Amino acid sequence: MAVEVLEKGYDPAKVEDKWSGYWINNGFFKADVNDLRKTFSIVIPPPNVTGSLHMGHALNNTLQDILARFKRMDGFNVLWMPGTDHAGIATQNVVERELAQKGISRHSLGREKFIEHIWKWREEFGGIIINQLKKLGASCDWSRERFTMDEGLSRAVREVFVELYHEKLIYRGDYIINWCPRCQTALSDLEVEHEETEGYLYYLKYPLYNSKKFVVVATTRPETMLGDTAVAVNPNDERYKKLIGKTAVLPVMGREIPVIADEYVNKDFGTGAVKVTPAHDVNDFEMGLRHNLEAIRVMDVDGRMNDNAGPYRGLDRFRCRKEIIEEFQKNGTLKKRENYSHNIGHCYRCKMVIEPTLSKQWFVKVKPLAEPAVEAVKDSRVRIIPVSWEKTYFEWMNNIRDWCISRQIWWGHRIPAWYCNDCGEVIVSKEDPTQCAKCMSSNISQETDVLDTWFSSALWPFSTMGWPEHTRELELFYPTSVLVTGFDILFFWVARMIMMGIKFMGKVPFNDVYIHALVRDIEGKKMSKSKGNVIDPLVIIEKYGADAFRFTLAAFAAQGRDIKLSEERIGGYRNFANKVWNASRFSLMNIEGYDENLIDKDRIDYTLSDKWIMSRLNRAIEQTRDALENYRFNDGAHLLYQFVWHEFCDWYIELIKPYLFDKADSNLRLNTQHVLLGVLNTVLCLLHPFMPFITEEIWSKLPNSEGSITVHQYPKSDSNLIDEKAEAEMNLIIDIVGNIRNVRGEMNIPPATQVETFLYTEDRETYDKLERNKDHIKNLARIGNLSISSNKKEYKSSATAVVDKVEIFVPLKGIIDFYEEEKRLKKESDKIEKKLMLLNKKLSNEDFLSKAPPHVIEDERIENINLIEKKRKFEEGIQRMQALQRER
RNA sequence: AGGCACGUAGCUCAGGGGGAGAGCGCUACCUUGACACGGUAGAAGUCGGCGGUUCAAAACCGCCCGUGCCUACCA
């Protein structure tokens, strides 16, 4: 038969796009609702529409793809649901910035026009990340791509909001929230990033009413003093007992404010007296409630001081801080200023310093939702892998606070609440109302706030499958099999999905949560644009190929450890891809004349090499499956690497070369070709989830393959093919060859020199094994003349080695340096001696003999006997070398 | 402040109660009919420190040191 020979090296760029297109056009990744096989489903953690593929996405999606491809091949009806999320604040910021370049502000456009603009933008750029995922090889069902702002998903959002509102799990109220003056919106607690910042602690003197005395308060945010409505001390603080109930006069504003007692105050911090600003601090707000204090906002939405700030009205908050301190200094009422380092909250989107502000917002009452979500993990309806994350999950869920879900931006799901402008009634409804439910006035207006993006993401596992409709998809694919994600969104997303899933579907959204590491740079730092340490996955794919890149990510993805990505490592796996390519190339170059029909499969006479490789292969199959079933991606990658390179290529291919090259024995040749192609075929299948492109490319050239490898049966191990005897025999051969090579290497014998070798053993069985594999030993160790004997002869001027019951003699007359050889033997002998000493100590220890398990003792005894024998042989060798040196 | 990881060969990291491992790098040799993105061999580690449990600890426990991360309302 005519065989197409592969090119000399693998060039990923030539084949990747071809196969991406082929897979998608042929619908291999489509989930079928009429398919009755068992199902496997994953929903993608939706990337931001504004995003482009970064290392985190690459890792996350590589792991999902490995699972999806594995399960698809293993006979499951697989749904991998793709899509993107509308990323409210981020997207709005991006489009605003773009408009700003044209000198347009969103306010001049108006809400409706601006939103139209974003949709247009999304049409143009929103697909970028989706295409990048395709480049990575992600086998999502692209025909089902979803977007959190799609009509269906929006309906789900509304349904959930209205339901929760009617159950009083959503409420509206005045509380301190995190306000970003740049984005001009409220943020949830999670969206605030705390960062240790060097600052100052200012000590301010507040005069007491009708007195020459002062009370000194300490603060890091002096500008908020303009909104102070009390000074608080601890009720048990002897220093201040007299002051409780007295009145202080707020500097600048001249407002009379009470000195109150509250347990919250820490006697040992600062002066033990605290200024209280209920409108700009969470704790102060709560104190305000306890003591019925007025809350005075002193800042506007943009972070400038407002009308309540007296002379500082209109100033930016930081400018105001500076000027207030100057004012206190001038008056002599700034007692002191200390260096002080503390945590300051920043907006996770724009990094602006957050201003805690009293504001009317919408909240989700989380506790009633969190409790069943905690239960679900406790009773393993949701398994978190690795389990160590469970603790973090519980910790957070048990201390959870209400979730602020309203955002003062335009891009997002508008809150389905209407206010009656006549009677003030609030109407929350699935359908847009036309009139007030209470007074029937048609003078109503909709809430302008939109929902937190995470609110819609929380519904993702069922909203993408058509909920609130009762769809076939939900029936088949919900709960999903596994969620694969990074720990950074465990709270943002995972916890909330579990809450919402249980609440609205009555079932958890996924059975497993696999939490993977974060990808960092080589120094272990988080990759970020501002640090300039990002490695762009697409550049990597171009340079090394998607397969090498994916394999690297998988090999690095050990549970519970972050990934420090190095380009060198990717290069190493690029080499591996090339190795696979060349092993395939070799196979295809040597199957001329092969015809499967000529093989009588029931009567093949397998060689030792065949039995050995099939045995090893079947172990590899079993272990790979086990690794994938248990999310041990790195184990899977490593063991396949090891098997393909160091067993299949290094040994099997080398062992069978003579069989393939010898055209005389056509039966042997045919059988060998058969096994070779069979193993290669299986190896490609095993590797496919990790390296989809190269495996499909080679698969397409194989004579014993048909269709696409993506839908071919994943290998199943056959325990009948695991052959301990073959493995033991091959191990002996490998050891002997290794030892002869070692001698050659140590003695600096050029590879081209064909040495003579004698193998001596008294053991009959071993002798037979050696005889049977004489040619292999000769070929692999490059031996000219190999004698095997059970009669000991004097091999005087030869290097020696010992393997098991075999003594190896390599006569090196004229080449060998007796002194060098003696040194080499001594080194070996010393190693053995060390081991023997440890063993002897153990075996003479009464406690060891009486308490250790019998098989351990037995093993150690056998080892001891073997080592003694081995050492004796080395000592003989040493004596021979010494004798030879004396003779000279 | 609390919590969680991590500290194993020059580098990046697996492993895990009874033999110290891999990849890269390094050294020497080799264009041997798949592959120099290759082959063969080699050097290299008190498994962070100190205690404890155990017949046996790099692994389990405690403390300490170092690194990273997460959570938190002491102004």
Side-chain angles (χ1 to χ4, degrees), chain A residues 318-330:
Chain A
F318 296 113
R319 180 72 193 275
C320 175
R321 178 180 299 179
K322 203 171 153 243
E323 294 199 2
I324 281 191
I325 288 308
E326 279 166 12
E327 178 68 20
F328 271 82
Q329 226 160 1
K330 248 193 314 197

Side-chain angles (χ1 to χ4, degrees), chain A residues 649-660:
Chain A
C649 292
D650 286 354
W651 290 98
Y652 183 68
I653 287 184
E654 294 306 324
L655 285 161
I656 61 169
K657 273 180 180 173
Y659 304 158
L660 294 173

Side-chain angles (χ1 to χ4, degrees), chain A residues 279-393:
Chain A
H280 289 285
D281 184 281
V282 190
N283 301 304
D284 294 6
F285 175 73
E286 281 163 10
M287 263 196 280
L289 290 181
R290 285 197 288 271
H291 299 272
N292 220 352
L293 299 173
E294 198 188 347
I296 303 173
R297 273 187 68 163
V298 295
M299 277 174 235
D300 258 330
V301 290
D302 58 355
R304 282 171 199 278
M305 308 314 289
N306 66 14
D307 290 349
N308 296 327
Y312 297 97
R313 168 189 325 115
L315 280 189
D316 174 79
R317 53 190 167 145
F318 296 113
R319 180 72 193 275
C320 175
R321 178 180 299 179
K322 203 171 153 243
E323 294 199 2
I324 281 191
I325 288 308
E326 279 166 12
E327 178 68 20
F328 271 82
Q329 226 160 1
K330 248 193 314 197
N331 294 339
T333 44
L334 177 69
K335 194 178 173 214
K336 61 174 171 173
R337 191 190 80 174
E338 277 174 357
N339 286 327
Y340 186 64
S341 129
H342 60 144
N343 276 319
I344 294 183
H346 296 78
C347 171
Y348 82 133
R349 282 296 166 211
C350 73
K351 311 299 171 195
M352 173 67 73
V353 174
I354 288 301
E355 199 59 47
T357 304
L358 180 61
S359 167
K360 195 181 277 297
Q361 301 287 343
W362 293 85
F363 296 87
V364 172
K365 195 170 164 190
V366 190
K367 268 237 150 66
L369 297 168
E371 277 159 14
V374 166
E375 278 311 305
V377 173
K378 273 197 179 146
D379 64 22
S380 295
R381 269 174 294 145
V382 174
R383 292 198 311 155
I384 298 182
I385 301 144
V387 277
S388 52
W389 287 105
E390 278 187 4
K391 198 168 175 181
T392 313
Y393 173 83

Side-chain angles (χ1 to χ4, degrees), chain A residues 180 199 216 240 347 384 637 711 845 850:
Chain A
C180 173
V216 181
Y240 293 120
C347 171
I384 298 182
V711 288
N845 183 342
S850 59

